[in-house]
Amino acid sequence: MLNPIDPEVVIRDGGAVGRFPGQIHEGVAWWLAACLVVTQKATRIAVAHDGHPATTAFANSFCRGAINAQHYACNVHYLGHQTEDRLLLTLKDLRGVPGAWLSVDDPGNDVTVHIRLYNRQGNLLDDTNGLAEIRRLIAEDRVPLPVNAQAKGTIEPWHPLLTNGDRL
């Protein structure tokens, strides 16, 4: 595994949490996304972030990991800079689509990245509904890789619905 992490320390609290740089790096987002797609058997996911420069980079890596997960040809609905509540509403609107919310705590120079993963029901992952399996895949260096170019998914900008049904 290139740039190893301590999965027991980092893969927790609904996804991944760690100091950047140090405990976590953009590759972790790629790994999490590929594992989320495979463990949830997802052909579509939604991804949003808080707009911080670090989470923008992590979100881009997350999207690339999702579209390259084995044979799933996952379509990523990329919301970009949105609130976590907006992501959760979008997951509900998309009916049965897992997702991820990326954010940071940035007190001074100590950036902590949070990647929160949600299942098809919009519930935060925990050790009973997918997080333990993702942790195991990463710990064993069994991150799902693409099987061929035809299995590659797509990333498309997604604009959440307003309350009247129009898009933002």
PDB file of all heavy atoms in Angstrom, residues 3-40:
ATOM      1  N   ASN A   3       1.622   5.034   0.756  1.00  0.00           N
ATOM      2  CA  ASN A   3       1.172   5.970   1.796  1.00  0.00           C
ATOM      3  C   ASN A   3       0.210   5.313   2.786  1.00  0.00           C
ATOM      4  O   ASN A   3      -0.960   5.691   2.878  1.00  0.00           O
ATOM      5  CB  ASN A   3       0.506   7.198   1.175  1.00  0.00           C
ATOM      6  CG  ASN A   3       1.446   7.982   0.320  1.00  0.00           C
ATOM      7  OD1 ASN A   3       2.606   8.140   0.651  1.00  0.00           O
ATOM      8  ND2 ASN A   3       0.947   8.475  -0.793  1.00  0.00           N
ATOM      9  N   PRO A   4       0.671   4.307   3.505  1.00  0.00           N
ATOM     10  CA  PRO A   4      -0.229   3.611   4.436  1.00  0.00           C
ATOM     11  C   PRO A   4      -0.760   4.531   5.529  1.00  0.00           C
ATOM     12  O   PRO A   4      -0.166   5.556   5.846  1.00  0.00           O
ATOM     13  CB  PRO A   4       0.646   2.505   5.018  1.00  0.00           C
ATOM     14  CG  PRO A   4       2.046   2.933   4.783  1.00  0.00           C
ATOM     15  CD  PRO A   4       2.041   3.823   3.572  1.00  0.00           C
ATOM     16  N   ILE A   5      -1.892   4.133   6.061  1.00  0.00           N
ATOM     17  CA  ILE A   5      -2.522   4.825   7.188  1.00  0.00           C
ATOM     18  C   ILE A   5      -2.778   3.797   8.273  1.00  0.00           C
ATOM     19  O   ILE A   5      -2.649   2.593   8.042  1.00  0.00           O
ATOM     20  CB  ILE A   5      -3.851   5.494   6.776  1.00  0.00           C
ATOM     21  CG1 ILE A   5      -4.849   4.437   6.277  1.00  0.00           C
ATOM     22  CG2 ILE A   5      -3.618   6.588   5.758  1.00  0.00           C
ATOM     23  CD1 ILE A   5      -6.279   4.913   6.202  1.00  0.00           C
ATOM     24  N   ASP A   6      -3.176   4.249   9.428  1.00  0.00           N
ATOM     25  CA  ASP A   6      -3.609   3.359  10.495  1.00  0.00           C
ATOM     26  C   ASP A   6      -5.136   3.288  10.407  1.00  0.00           C
ATOM     27  O   ASP A   6      -5.833   4.179  10.902  1.00  0.00           O
ATOM     28  CB  ASP A   6      -3.170   3.892  11.849  1.00  0.00           C
ATOM     29  CG  ASP A   6      -3.521   2.963  12.995  1.00  0.00           C
ATOM     30  OD1 ASP A   6      -4.381   2.069  12.816  1.00  0.00           O
ATOM     31  OD2 ASP A   6      -2.939   3.132  14.080  1.00  0.00           O
ATOM     32  N   PRO A   7      -5.686   2.248   9.757  1.00  0.00           N
ATOM     33  CA  PRO A   7      -7.138   2.173   9.555  1.00  0.00           C
ATOM     34  C   PRO A   7      -7.945   2.218  10.844  1.00  0.00           C
ATOM     35  O   PRO A   7      -9.034   2.784  10.869  1.00  0.00           O
ATOM     36  CB  PRO A   7      -7.345   0.846   8.832  1.00  0.00           C
ATOM     37  CG  PRO A   7      -6.032   0.528   8.227  1.00  0.00           C
ATOM     38  CD  PRO A   7      -5.000   1.115   9.150  1.00  0.00           C
ATOM     39  N   GLU A   8      -7.427   1.639  11.914  1.00  0.00           N
ATOM     40  CA  GLU A   8      -8.160   1.641  13.182  1.00  0.00           C
ATOM     41  C   GLU A   8      -8.295   3.050  13.748  1.00  0.00           C
ATOM     42  O   GLU A   8      -9.269   3.360  14.420  1.00  0.00           O
ATOM     43  CB  GLU A   8      -7.482   0.717  14.204  1.00  0.00           C
ATOM     44  CG  GLU A   8      -7.504  -0.748  13.826  1.00  0.00           C
ATOM     45  CD  GLU A   8      -8.916  -1.315  13.726  1.00  0.00           C
ATOM     46  OE1 GLU A   8      -9.797  -0.919  14.526  1.00  0.00           O
ATOM     47  OE2 GLU A   8      -9.133  -2.153  12.846  1.00  0.00           O
ATOM     48  N   VAL A   9      -7.312   3.905  13.479  1.00  0.00           N
ATOM     49  CA  VAL A   9      -7.342   5.278  13.975  1.00  0.00           C
ATOM     50  C   VAL A   9      -8.131   6.184  13.034  1.00  0.00           C
ATOM     51  O   VAL A   9      -8.915   7.025  13.475  1.00  0.00           O
ATOM     52  CB  VAL A   9      -5.900   5.820  14.153  1.00  0.00           C
ATOM     53  CG1 VAL A   9      -5.895   7.302  14.444  1.00  0.00           C
ATOM     54  CG2 VAL A   9      -5.180   5.054  15.258  1.00  0.00           C
ATOM     55  N   VAL A  10      -7.968   5.996  11.734  1.00  0.00           N
ATOM     56  CA  VAL A  10      -8.531   6.913  10.744  1.00  0.00           C
ATOM     57  C   VAL A  10      -9.948   6.541  10.309  1.00  0.00           C
ATOM     58  O   VAL A  10     -10.796   7.414  10.149  1.00  0.00           O
ATOM     59  CB  VAL A  10      -7.593   7.010   9.514  1.00  0.00           C
ATOM     60  CG1 VAL A  10      -8.214   7.827   8.396  1.00  0.00           C
ATOM     61  CG2 VAL A  10      -6.244   7.592   9.927  1.00  0.00           C
ATOM     62  N   ILE A  11     -10.237   5.260  10.119  1.00  0.00           N
ATOM     63  CA  ILE A  11     -11.548   4.828   9.624  1.00  0.00           C
ATOM     64  C   ILE A  11     -12.462   4.634  10.837  1.00  0.00           C
ATOM     65  O   ILE A  11     -12.478   3.593  11.486  1.00  0.00           O
ATOM     66  CB  ILE A  11     -11.464   3.517   8.803  1.00  0.00           C
ATOM     67  CG1 ILE A  11     -10.368   3.590   7.744  1.00  0.00           C
ATOM     68  CG2 ILE A  11     -12.829   3.184   8.193  1.00  0.00           C
ATOM     69  CD1 ILE A  11     -10.566   4.659   6.709  1.00  0.00           C
ATOM     70  N   ARG A  12     -13.226   5.694  11.136  1.00  0.00           N
ATOM     71  CA  ARG A  12     -14.081   5.714  12.327  1.00  0.00           C
ATOM     72  C   ARG A  12     -15.102   6.839  12.194  1.00  0.00           C
ATOM     73  O   ARG A  12     -15.075   7.585  11.215  1.00  0.00           O
ATOM     74  CB  ARG A  12     -13.231   5.938  13.584  1.00  0.00           C
ATOM     75  CG  ARG A  12     -12.467   7.264  13.548  1.00  0.00           C
ATOM     76  CD  ARG A  12     -11.536   7.417  14.747  1.00  0.00           C
ATOM     77  NE  ARG A  12     -10.660   8.554  14.625  1.00  0.00           N
ATOM     78  CZ  ARG A  12     -10.958   9.793  14.995  1.00  0.00           C
ATOM     79  NH1 ARG A  12     -12.136  10.073  15.524  1.00  0.00           N
ATOM     80  NH2 ARG A  12     -10.087  10.770  14.847  1.00  0.00           N
ATOM     81  N   ASP A  13     -15.964   6.977  13.147  1.00  0.00           N
ATOM     82  CA  ASP A  13     -16.915   8.097  13.219  1.00  0.00           C
ATOM     83  C   ASP A  13     -17.678   8.307  11.912  1.00  0.00           C
ATOM     84  O   ASP A  13     -17.828   9.419  11.442  1.00  0.00           O
ATOM     85  CB  ASP A  13     -16.211   9.393  13.624  1.00  0.00           C
ATOM     86  CG  ASP A  13     -15.570   9.319  15.006  1.00  0.00           C
ATOM     87  OD1 ASP A  13     -16.012   8.469  15.811  1.00  0.00           O
ATOM     88  OD2 ASP A  13     -14.635  10.090  15.278  1.00  0.00           O
ATOM     89  N   GLY A  14     -18.136   7.212  11.320  1.00  0.00           N
ATOM     90  CA  GLY A  14     -18.961   7.315  10.119  1.00  0.00           C
ATOM     91  C   GLY A  14     -18.203   7.411   8.819  1.00  0.00           C
ATOM     92  O   GLY A  14     -18.795   7.599   7.769  1.00  0.00           O
ATOM     93  N   GLY A  15     -16.892   7.298   8.851  1.00  0.00           N
ATOM     94  CA  GLY A  15     -16.094   7.390   7.629  1.00  0.00           C
ATOM     95  C   GLY A  15     -14.625   7.438   7.957  1.00  0.00           C
ATOM     96  O   GLY A  15     -14.070   6.477   8.464  1.00  0.00           O
ATOM     97  N   ALA A  16     -14.001   8.575   7.687  1.00  0.00           N
ATOM     98  CA  ALA A  16     -12.585   8.749   7.993  1.00  0.00           C
ATOM     99  C   ALA A  16     -12.381  10.117   8.623  1.00  0.00           C
ATOM    100  O   ALA A  16     -13.023  11.089   8.234  1.00  0.00           O
ATOM    101  CB  ALA A  16     -11.733   8.617   6.733  1.00  0.00           C
ATOM    102  N   VAL A  17     -11.467  10.161   9.590  1.00  0.00           N
ATOM    103  CA  VAL A  17     -11.133  11.403  10.286  1.00  0.00           C
ATOM    104  C   VAL A  17      -9.639  11.385  10.542  1.00  0.00           C
ATOM    105  O   VAL A  17      -9.112  10.387  11.032  1.00  0.00           O
ATOM    106  CB  VAL A  17     -11.871  11.524  11.640  1.00  0.00           C
ATOM    107  CG1 VAL A  17     -11.482  12.806  12.355  1.00  0.00           C
ATOM    108  CG2 VAL A  17     -13.361  11.424  11.469  1.00  0.00           C
ATOM    109  N   GLY A  18      -8.965  12.493  10.199  1.00  0.00           N
ATOM    110  CA  GLY A  18      -7.547  12.554  10.499  1.00  0.00           C
ATOM    111  C   GLY A  18      -6.942  13.896  10.199  1.00  0.00           C
ATOM    112  O   GLY A  18      -7.492  14.688   9.430  1.00  0.00           O
ATOM    113  N   ARG A  19      -5.800  14.155  10.846  1.00  0.00           N
ATOM    114  CA  ARG A  19      -5.054  15.390  10.594  1.00  0.00           C
ATOM    115  C   ARG A  19      -4.457  15.338   9.193  1.00  0.00           C
ATOM    116  O   ARG A  19      -3.976  14.293   8.736  1.00  0.00           O
ATOM    117  CB  ARG A  19      -3.937  15.567  11.611  1.00  0.00           C
ATOM    118  CG  ARG A  19      -4.406  16.049  12.962  1.00  0.00           C
ATOM    119  CD  ARG A  19      -3.245  16.342  13.912  1.00  0.00           C
ATOM    120  NE  ARG A  19      -2.102  15.436  13.792  1.00  0.00           N
ATOM    121  CZ  ARG A  19      -2.039  14.219  14.328  1.00  0.00           C
ATOM    122  NH1 ARG A  19      -3.054  13.748  15.029  1.00  0.00           N
ATOM    123  NH2 ARG A  19      -0.965  13.483  14.178  1.00  0.00           N
ATOM    124  N   PHE A  20      -4.476  16.501   8.523  1.00  0.00           N
ATOM    125  CA  PHE A  20      -3.899  16.601   7.197  1.00  0.00           C
ATOM    126  C   PHE A  20      -2.945  17.771   7.176  1.00  0.00           C
ATOM    127  O   PHE A  20      -3.341  18.888   7.557  1.00  0.00           O
ATOM    128  CB  PHE A  20      -5.002  16.812   6.152  1.00  0.00           C
ATOM    129  CG  PHE A  20      -4.463  17.093   4.782  1.00  0.00           C
ATOM    130  CD1 PHE A  20      -3.851  16.082   4.049  1.00  0.00           C
ATOM    131  CD2 PHE A  20      -4.540  18.365   4.235  1.00  0.00           C
ATOM    132  CE1 PHE A  20      -3.347  16.336   2.797  1.00  0.00           C
ATOM    133  CE2 PHE A  20      -4.029  18.630   2.981  1.00  0.00           C
ATOM    134  CZ  PHE A  20      -3.438  17.615   2.254  1.00  0.00           C
ATOM    135  N   PRO A  21      -1.703  17.528   6.772  1.00  0.00           N
ATOM    136  CA  PRO A  21      -1.140  16.224   6.442  1.00  0.00           C
ATOM    137  C   PRO A  21      -0.746  15.460   7.699  1.00  0.00           C
ATOM    138  O   PRO A  21      -0.703  16.029   8.780  1.00  0.00           O
ATOM    139  CB  PRO A  21       0.099  16.581   5.619  1.00  0.00           C
ATOM    140  CG  PRO A  21       0.507  17.939   6.109  1.00  0.00           C
ATOM    141  CD  PRO A  21      -0.763  18.627   6.552  1.00  0.00           C
ATOM    142  N   GLY A  22      -0.495  14.214   7.540  1.00  0.00           N
ATOM    143  CA  GLY A  22      -0.081  13.382   8.661  1.00  0.00           C
ATOM    144  C   GLY A  22      -0.841  12.092   8.719  1.00  0.00           C
ATOM    145  O   GLY A  22      -0.388  11.072   8.214  1.00  0.00           O
ATOM    146  N   GLN A  23      -2.028  12.111   9.329  1.00  0.00           N
ATOM    147  CA  GLN A  23      -2.804  10.884   9.499  1.00  0.00           C
ATOM    148  C   GLN A  23      -3.581  10.492   8.253  1.00  0.00           C
ATOM    149  O   GLN A  23      -3.914   9.325   8.074  1.00  0.00           O
ATOM    150  CB  GLN A  23      -3.805  11.045  10.641  1.00  0.00           C
ATOM    151  CG  GLN A  23      -3.189  11.141  12.002  1.00  0.00           C
ATOM    152  CD  GLN A  23      -4.269  11.315  13.058  1.00  0.00           C
ATOM    153  OE1 GLN A  23      -5.182  12.119  12.906  1.00  0.00           O
ATOM    154  NE2 GLN A  23      -4.146  10.553  14.126  1.00  0.00           N
ATOM    155  N   ILE A  24      -3.923  11.468   7.423  1.00  0.00           N
ATOM    156  CA  ILE A  24      -4.806  11.215   6.288  1.00  0.00           C
ATOM    157  C   ILE A  24      -4.262  11.967   5.069  1.00  0.00           C
ATOM    158  O   ILE A  24      -3.571  12.966   5.215  1.00  0.00           O
ATOM    159  CB  ILE A  24      -6.253  11.653   6.639  1.00  0.00           C
ATOM    160  CG1 ILE A  24      -7.274  11.072   5.677  1.00  0.00           C
ATOM    161  CG2 ILE A  24      -6.365  13.143   6.778  1.00  0.00           C
ATOM    162  CD1 ILE A  24      -8.722  11.252   6.149  1.00  0.00           C
ATOM    163  N   HIS A  25      -4.538  11.438   3.884  1.00  0.00           N
ATOM    164  CA  HIS A  25      -4.110  12.074   2.634  1.00  0.00           C
ATOM    165  C   HIS A  25      -5.197  11.830   1.588  1.00  0.00           C
ATOM    166  O   HIS A  25      -6.138  11.069   1.818  1.00  0.00           O
ATOM    167  CB  HIS A  25      -2.749  11.536   2.179  1.00  0.00           C
ATOM    168  CG  HIS A  25      -2.688  10.041   2.097  1.00  0.00           C
ATOM    169  ND1 HIS A  25      -3.197   9.323   1.024  1.00  0.00           N
ATOM    170  CD2 HIS A  25      -2.207   9.121   2.969  1.00  0.00           C
ATOM    171  CE1 HIS A  25      -3.006   8.036   1.234  1.00  0.00           C
ATOM    172  NE2 HIS A  25      -2.415   7.880   2.413  1.00  0.00           N
ATOM    173  N   GLU A  26      -5.080  12.507   0.426  1.00  0.00           N
ATOM    174  CA  GLU A  26      -6.116  12.431  -0.595  1.00  0.00           C
ATOM    175  C   GLU A  26      -6.374  11.009  -1.078  1.00  0.00           C
ATOM    176  O   GLU A  26      -7.474  10.672  -1.488  1.00  0.00           O
ATOM    177  CB  GLU A  26      -5.784  13.323  -1.802  1.00  0.00           C
ATOM    178  CG  GLU A  26      -5.874  14.800  -1.521  1.00  0.00           C
ATOM    179  CD  GLU A  26      -4.524  15.402  -1.176  1.00  0.00           C
ATOM    180  OE1 GLU A  26      -3.604  14.662  -0.762  1.00  0.00           O
ATOM    181  OE2 GLU A  26      -4.384  16.628  -1.298  1.00  0.00           O
ATOM    182  N   GLY A  27      -5.349  10.156  -1.045  1.00  0.00           N
ATOM    183  CA  GLY A  27      -5.518   8.765  -1.462  1.00  0.00           C
ATOM    184  C   GLY A  27      -6.539   8.028  -0.614  1.00  0.00           C
ATOM    185  O   GLY A  27      -7.232   7.121  -1.100  1.00  0.00           O
ATOM    186  N   VAL A  28      -6.665   8.407   0.639  1.00  0.00           N
ATOM    187  CA  VAL A  28      -7.651   7.776   1.523  1.00  0.00           C
ATOM    188  C   VAL A  28      -9.060   8.025   0.990  1.00  0.00           C
ATOM    189  O   VAL A  28      -9.923   7.131   1.021  1.00  0.00           O
ATOM    190  CB  VAL A  28      -7.500   8.282   2.976  1.00  0.00           C
ATOM    191  CG1 VAL A  28      -8.602   7.738   3.868  1.00  0.00           C
ATOM    192  CG2 VAL A  28      -6.126   7.922   3.526  1.00  0.00           C
ATOM    193  N   ALA A  29      -9.297   9.221   0.465  1.00  0.00           N
ATOM    194  CA  ALA A  29     -10.610   9.525  -0.119  1.00  0.00           C
ATOM    195  C   ALA A  29     -10.877   8.611  -1.307  1.00  0.00           C
ATOM    196  O   ALA A  29     -11.989   8.093  -1.471  1.00  0.00           O
ATOM    197  CB  ALA A  29     -10.673  10.992  -0.530  1.00  0.00           C
ATOM    198  N   TRP A  30      -9.877   8.381  -2.155  1.00  0.00           N
ATOM    199  CA  TRP A  30     -10.012   7.478  -3.300  1.00  0.00           C
ATOM    200  C   TRP A  30     -10.382   6.077  -2.797  1.00  0.00           C
ATOM    201  O   TRP A  30     -11.320   5.459  -3.294  1.00  0.00           O
ATOM    202  CB  TRP A  30      -8.690   7.451  -4.076  1.00  0.00           C
ATOM    203  CG  TRP A  30      -8.767   6.910  -5.480  1.00  0.00           C
ATOM    204  CD1 TRP A  30      -8.747   7.646  -6.613  1.00  0.00           C
ATOM    205  CD2 TRP A  30      -8.851   5.538  -5.890  1.00  0.00           C
ATOM    206  NE1 TRP A  30      -8.825   6.818  -7.710  1.00  0.00           N
ATOM    207  CE2 TRP A  30      -8.889   5.518  -7.291  1.00  0.00           C
ATOM    208  CE3 TRP A  30      -8.908   4.327  -5.202  1.00  0.00           C
ATOM    209  CZ2 TRP A  30      -8.971   4.346  -8.027  1.00  0.00           C
ATOM    210  CZ3 TRP A  30      -9.002   3.153  -5.926  1.00  0.00           C
ATOM    211  CH2 TRP A  30      -9.032   3.173  -7.320  1.00  0.00           C
ATOM    212  N   TRP A  31      -9.623   5.606  -1.791  1.00  0.00           N
ATOM    213  CA  TRP A  31      -9.867   4.262  -1.266  1.00  0.00           C
ATOM    214  C   TRP A  31     -11.274   4.141  -0.694  1.00  0.00           C
ATOM    215  O   TRP A  31     -11.980   3.161  -0.942  1.00  0.00           O
ATOM    216  CB  TRP A  31      -8.865   3.912  -0.163  1.00  0.00           C
ATOM    217  CG  TRP A  31      -7.425   3.966  -0.537  1.00  0.00           C
ATOM    218  CD1 TRP A  31      -6.883   3.911  -1.799  1.00  0.00           C
ATOM    219  CD2 TRP A  31      -6.328   4.095   0.359  1.00  0.00           C
ATOM    220  NE1 TRP A  31      -5.516   4.009  -1.732  1.00  0.00           N
ATOM    221  CE2 TRP A  31      -5.145   4.114  -0.420  1.00  0.00           C
ATOM    222  CE3 TRP A  31      -6.222   4.198   1.728  1.00  0.00           C
ATOM    223  CZ2 TRP A  31      -3.871   4.223   0.144  1.00  0.00           C
ATOM    224  CZ3 TRP A  31      -4.960   4.304   2.300  1.00  0.00           C
ATOM    225  CH2 TRP A  31      -3.805   4.310   1.510  1.00  0.00           C
ATOM    226  N   LEU A  32     -11.669   5.132   0.117  1.00  0.00           N
ATOM    227  CA  LEU A  32     -13.007   5.102   0.728  1.00  0.00           C
ATOM    228  C   LEU A  32     -14.099   5.046  -0.334  1.00  0.00           C
ATOM    229  O   LEU A  32     -15.067   4.292  -0.199  1.00  0.00           O
ATOM    230  CB  LEU A  32     -13.231   6.325   1.608  1.00  0.00           C
ATOM    231  CG  LEU A  32     -12.557   6.347   2.961  1.00  0.00           C
ATOM    232  CD1 LEU A  32     -12.738   7.709   3.602  1.00  0.00           C
ATOM    233  CD2 LEU A  32     -13.085   5.259   3.865  1.00  0.00           C
ATOM    234  N   ALA A  33     -13.954   5.853  -1.368  1.00  0.00           N
ATOM    235  CA  ALA A  33     -14.978   5.897  -2.420  1.00  0.00           C
ATOM    236  C   ALA A  33     -15.097   4.555  -3.130  1.00  0.00           C
ATOM    237  O   ALA A  33     -16.209   4.049  -3.327  1.00  0.00           O
ATOM    238  CB  ALA A  33     -14.652   6.995  -3.419  1.00  0.00           C
ATOM    239  N   ALA A  34     -13.970   3.986  -3.523  1.00  0.00           N
ATOM    240  CA  ALA A  34     -14.012   2.694  -4.208  1.00  0.00           C
ATOM    241  C   ALA A  34     -14.641   1.632  -3.307  1.00  0.00           C
ATOM    242  O   ALA A  34     -15.485   0.841  -3.753  1.00  0.00           O
ATOM    243  CB  ALA A  34     -12.607   2.279  -4.639  1.00  0.00           C
ATOM    244  N   CYS A  35     -14.271   1.646  -2.040  1.00  0.00           N
ATOM    245  CA  CYS A  35     -14.834   0.676  -1.091  1.00  0.00           C
ATOM    246  C   CYS A  35     -16.321   0.927  -0.841  1.00  0.00           C
ATOM    247  O   CYS A  35     -17.102  -0.022  -0.730  1.00  0.00           O
ATOM    248  CB  CYS A  35     -14.056   0.711   0.217  1.00  0.00           C
ATOM    249  SG  CYS A  35     -12.374   0.066   0.096  1.00  0.00           S
ATOM    250  N   LEU A  36     -16.733   2.199  -0.762  1.00  0.00           N
ATOM    251  CA  LEU A  36     -18.146   2.515  -0.577  1.00  0.00           C
ATOM    252  C   LEU A  36     -18.967   1.980  -1.749  1.00  0.00           C
ATOM    253  O   LEU A  36     -20.007   1.340  -1.549  1.00  0.00           O
ATOM    254  CB  LEU A  36     -18.351   4.028  -0.442  1.00  0.00           C
ATOM    255  CG  LEU A  36     -19.801   4.487  -0.292  1.00  0.00           C
ATOM    256  CD1 LEU A  36     -20.377   4.049   1.055  1.00  0.00           C
ATOM    257  CD2 LEU A  36     -19.899   6.001  -0.442  1.00  0.00           C
ATOM    258  N   VAL A  37     -18.521   2.226  -2.954  1.00  0.00           N
ATOM    259  CA  VAL A  37     -19.246   1.759  -4.141  1.00  0.00           C
ATOM    260  C   VAL A  37     -19.391   0.239  -4.111  1.00  0.00           C
ATOM    261  O   VAL A  37     -20.484  -0.294  -4.325  1.00  0.00           O
ATOM    262  CB  VAL A  37     -18.537   2.226  -5.434  1.00  0.00           C
ATOM    263  CG1 VAL A  37     -19.086   1.507  -6.657  1.00  0.00           C
ATOM    264  CG2 VAL A  37     -18.674   3.741  -5.584  1.00  0.00           C
ATOM    265  N   VAL A  38     -18.312  -0.464  -3.819  1.00  0.00           N
ATOM    266  CA  VAL A  38     -18.348  -1.929  -3.842  1.00  0.00           C
ATOM    267  C   VAL A  38     -19.166  -2.493  -2.682  1.00  0.00           C
ATOM    268  O   VAL A  38     -19.994  -3.386  -2.880  1.00  0.00           O
ATOM    269  CB  VAL A  38     -16.917  -2.500  -3.864  1.00  0.00           C
ATOM    270  CG1 VAL A  38     -16.918  -4.002  -3.665  1.00  0.00           C
ATOM    271  CG2 VAL A  38     -16.253  -2.139  -5.196  1.00  0.00           C
ATOM    272  N   THR A  39     -18.971  -1.973  -1.477  1.00  0.00           N
ATOM    273  CA  THR A  39     -19.715  -2.534  -0.338  1.00  0.00           C
ATOM    274  C   THR A  39     -21.198  -2.206  -0.404  1.00  0.00           C
ATOM    275  O   THR A  39     -22.023  -2.979   0.063  1.00  0.00           O
ATOM    276  CB  THR A  39     -19.140  -2.059   1.017  1.00  0.00           C
ATOM    277  OG1 THR A  39     -19.205  -0.636   1.091  1.00  0.00           O
ATOM    278  CG2 THR A  39     -17.713  -2.559   1.208  1.00  0.00           C
ATOM    279  N   GLN A  40     -21.548  -1.071  -1.004  1.00  0.00           N
ATOM    280  CA  GLN A  40     -22.964  -0.694  -1.134  1.00  0.00           C
ATOM    281  C   GLN A  40     -23.543  -1.147  -2.482  1.00  0.00           C
ATOM    282  O   GLN A  40     -24.713  -0.912  -2.753  1.00  0.00           O
ATOM    283  CB  GLN A  40     -23.123   0.821  -0.987  1.00  0.00           C
ATOM    284  CG  GLN A  40     -22.682   1.365   0.359  1.00  0.00           C
ATOM    285  CD  GLN A  40     -23.589   0.932   1.488  1.00  0.00           C
ATOM    286  OE1 GLN A  40     -24.793   1.096   1.421  1.00  0.00           O
ATOM    287  NE2 GLN A  40     -23.000   0.354   2.521  1.00  0.00           N
TER     288      GLN A  40
END
